Amino acid sequence: MEEKNINETIELLEQKSFPALKSILNDMMPADIALLFEELDNTDKVIAFRLLGKELAAETFAYLDSDSQINLTQAISDKEIHDVFDRLFIDDAVDAIEEMPANVVTRILNNTDSETRKLINDILKYPERSAGSIMTVEYVNLRRDMTVSQAIEKIRREGSDKETIYTCYVTENRKLVGIVGVSTLLTSKDDQIVEDIMEKNVISVSAYDDKEDVAMTINKYGFIAIPVVDKDSRLIGIVTVDDAIEVIQQETTEDISIMAAMEPIEESYFKTSVFSHAKKRMLWLMILMISATVTGVVMQNYENAISAFPILVSCIPMLMDTGGNSGSQSATMMIRGIALGDIRFSDIFRVVFKEFRISILVSVALGVVNFVRIIIMHSFGILGDTGGQSVYLIAAIVSLSLILVVILAKFIGCTLPLLADKIGLDAALMASPIISTIVDAFAVFIYFKIATTFLNIGF
């Protein structure tokens, strides 16, 4: 929503020009009204909300963040609560209720009809990460012996109360036996039987399947919705594409947080307190800080090499950074591939072989460029003392170390996420911070091992 429109509506509120404000609000999209509400205080939100038509108010309520939903529910009357939740789709009502305190939930359930209350309670009983927790029971179901004209008439009669009508579900004694699209119905003859035109090979999910897997299935097949069945293949609901998108967004946000060595936050950045932000970040930073002491211990074992050839020290940051970056590239590809279902643990040998070939090409190219870089920098007096050794030997040692570090880093980067996923951990844990910490220690060890061997330094 444009800032100009936000300022205009706020100005109308301040001027108490409610007729003009009502006209503007009722011409807006629900998502845009929800954005406007973020700029209003709680009192103005209630005033603006009451200016909306009943249908628009319910649609807008579904787009609001949990805090705004709670504040509005506490401020409006019992009748208004009934009007809102009577018009909300069941899955949106459940999403709202899950974030609310018990006393507010009790008030909502007391002001909904018995059928709606039962449907909400049925969905609330499913585990938080299951398909059942995000499904809706508002779908169009048809009988297999219906004619096309009877099916279309039912859609006309019931469609306005359903979350989607683009796909209809054919059931017999509540068991899912087929699906038929509205487009198929509209292009078929009126006297054709639904059973003759329905798709019998139906892809469905269990109510207890992980909701991320369900979202990925919807994405894979390009579905608008996917049916949810119980253990007896009875249709109990559907998961729609809008809920699948929300799940994917939540999981992606969670993975990004974990990849950055942070515990995921549930609220938005600005709604999360400074203390909560610090607490979410502190633990992993401490773990990584303590883990990094391994690198220091390795360097202490090579004090003789460092004192004899100071130039070796100047190349350590480059080796550690390049190794960490190389490992992170591979790890990122693996984490994303695992999330999309493109890469599985059974592919580990194919992955290792491919990453090995990639690492050879990348590391040799980096090694050649690094060799030339050291020669050029030494000729301009930028590098430190070579300790009487040929700059070409030093350049060769550093470049060979770089090649081995990159190869090892890419091996670590491609295998750790797969191993983590195999043992039931989130693959995103093995992201840049972890990979860099591990690779740093190996990089220093490899570097000084090669340097002491070629330069004949005891330690």
Side-chain angles (χ1 to χ4, degrees):
M1 185 180 182
E2 295 182 4
E3 187 175 346
K4 177 184 176 182
N5 293 336
I6 293 176
N7 293 334
E8 181 182 357
T9 51
I10 292 176
E11 186 177 336
L12 289 172
L13 268 171
E14 291 174 347
Q15 295 172 353
K16 302 188 185 304
S17 301
F18 298 137
L21 181 59
K22 182 177 181 179
S23 176
I24 291 173
L25 289 174
N26 283 275
D27 285 336
M28 291 170 60
M29 298 295 290
D32 291 330
I33 298 175
L35 285 177
L36 166 66
F37 277 28
E38 291 181 6
E39 306 298 322
L40 305 179
D41 60 33
N42 290 335
T43 302
D44 286 341
K45 278 180 189 174
V46 176
I47 294 172
F49 188 77
R50 283 174 167 159
L51 295 175
L52 303 176
K54 291 182 179 180
E55 292 291 342
L56 183 58
E59 291 176 21
T60 300
F61 188 88
Y63 280 99
L64 295 174
D65 60 68
S66 59
D67 287 343
S68 294
Q69 289 178 336
I70 292 170
N71 291 332
L72 273 175
T73 305
Q74 291 174 327
I76 60 180
S77 67
D78 289 347
K79 182 181 183 305
E80 288 171 316
I81 289 176
H82 177 272
D83 289 341
V84 169
F85 280 84
D86 185 53
R87 288 169 172 80
L88 276 178
F89 291 121
I90 294 299
D91 58 334
D92 290 330
V94 170
D95 287 343
I97 286 174
E98 284 180 328
E99 302 295 328
M100 293 183 177
N103 62 318
V104 178
V105 173
T106 300
R107 186 178 175 217
I108 291 170
L109 294 178
N110 287 339
N111 287 284
T112 54
D113 58 67
S114 58
E115 183 181 355
T116 301
R117 187 160 56 249
K118 180 181 181 303
L119 292 173
I120 290 173
N121 285 326
D122 285 344
I123 294 178
L124 285 173
K125 73 181 181 182
Y126 290 105
E128 183 183 356
R129 297 189 63 85
S130 69
S133 70
I134 60 169
M135 72 180 182
T136 179
V137 295
E138 291 155 323
Y139 54 86
V140 176
N141 68 300
L142 305 173
R143 299 191 318 273
R144 66 199 309 169
D145 59 350
M146 277 182 166
T147 63
V148 167
S149 61
Q150 288 173 331
I152 292 175
E153 179 58 33
K154 183 174 184 181
I155 294 170
R156 287 176 179 154
R157 189 170 60 250
E158 300 178 1
S160 60
D161 297 326
K162 307 303 181 183
E163 184 146 350
T164 179
I165 61 171
Y166 299 107
T167 302
C168 302
Y169 301 88
V170 185
T171 59
E172 184 177 48
N173 297 324
R174 292 185 60 200
K175 286 193 175 183
L176 180 66
V177 295
I179 60 172
V180 61
V182 169
S183 59
T184 302
L185 291 170
L186 292 176
T187 54
S188 300
K189 294 180 180 179
D190 289 346
D191 58 353
Q192 279 190 279
I193 304 300
V194 167
E195 184 174 16
D196 296 335
I197 60 173
M198 72 183 186
E199 174 62 54
K200 298 181 178 67
N201 184 24
V202 182
I203 295 174
S204 61
V205 296
S206 164
Y208 291 95
D209 285 349
D210 189 284
K211 63 182 181 181
E212 184 179 5
D213 294 336
V214 174
M216 297 308 298
T217 301
I218 290 175
N219 179 64
K220 177 182 178 180
Y221 293 104
F223 290 156
I224 294 174
I226 192 168
V228 181
V229 298
D230 63 13
K231 62 181 180 180
D232 297 318
S233 297
R234 290 177 297 193
L235 182 64
I236 55 176
I238 62 173
V239 175
T240 53
V241 66
D242 58 320
D243 291 313
I245 291 172
E246 186 175 345
V247 169
I248 292 172
Q249 287 177 334
Q250 290 172 349
E251 295 296 333
T252 302
T253 301
E254 183 178 309
D255 284 348
I256 290 171
S257 297
I258 294 172
M259 289 173 69
M262 296 187 297
E263 293 180 49
I265 56 175
E266 296 179 1
E267 297 289 345
S268 66
Y269 177 83
F270 287 110
K271 287 187 177 180
T272 304
S273 68
V274 171
F275 178 77
S276 294
H277 273 297
K279 187 173 70 173
K280 297 287 187 181
R281 303 180 192 188
M282 196 179 302
L283 176 62
W284 273 107
L285 287 175
M286 286 184 177
I287 292 172
L288 293 170
M289 178 187 70
I290 295 170
S291 301
T293 57
V294 176
T295 305
V297 172
V298 173
M299 291 182 66
Q300 282 183 349
N301 290 331
Y302 292 97
E303 288 181 354
N304 292 343
I306 293 173
S307 59
F309 299 94
I311 190 174
L312 295 177
V313 179
S314 65
C315 296
I316 292 175
M318 180 274 298
L319 280 171
M320 292 170 64
D321 288 346
T322 306
N325 292 335
S326 299
S328 296
Q329 286 179 337
S330 297
T332 301
M333 295 298 294
M334 294 306 105
I335 292 166
R336 191 58 183 155
I338 291 168
L340 295 174
D342 295 335
I343 301 174
R344 298 176 178 82
F345 183 77
S346 58
D347 299 317
I348 189 167
F349 293 111
R350 291 174 58 200
V351 167
V352 169
F353 182 53
K354 187 161 192 171
E355 287 296 313
F356 175 72
R357 287 177 290 166
I358 293 170
S359 67
I360 292 294
L361 293 175
V362 171
S363 63
V364 170
L366 291 172
V368 170
V369 171
N370 183 69
F371 187 90
V372 175
R373 176 188 69 88
I374 290 177
I375 301 300
I376 293 174
M377 291 181 70
H378 182 265
S379 65
F380 283 97
I382 299 175
L383 290 179
D385 184 14
T386 62
Q389 294 289 340
S390 167
V391 68
Y392 293 99
L393 177 59
I394 298 296
I397 290 171
V398 176
S399 297
L400 177 60
S401 300
L402 180 62
I403 291 171
L404 295 178
V405 166
V406 170
I407 293 173
L408 179 63
K410 288 199 172 292
F411 172 78
I412 293 172
C414 73
T415 55
L416 285 187
L418 287 168
L419 290 170
D421 185 62
K422 177 65 176 177
I423 63 176
L425 296 176
D426 194 325
L429 283 169
M430 302 303 168
S432 181
I434 295 290
I435 297 295
S436 295
T437 302
I438 295 172
V439 170
D440 285 352
F442 280 110
V444 172
F445 175 78
I446 290 171
Y447 179 41
F448 281 110
K449 193 68 177 176
I450 292 174
T452 53
T453 301
F454 279 85
L455 298 175
N456 296 315
I457 304 173
F459 63 93

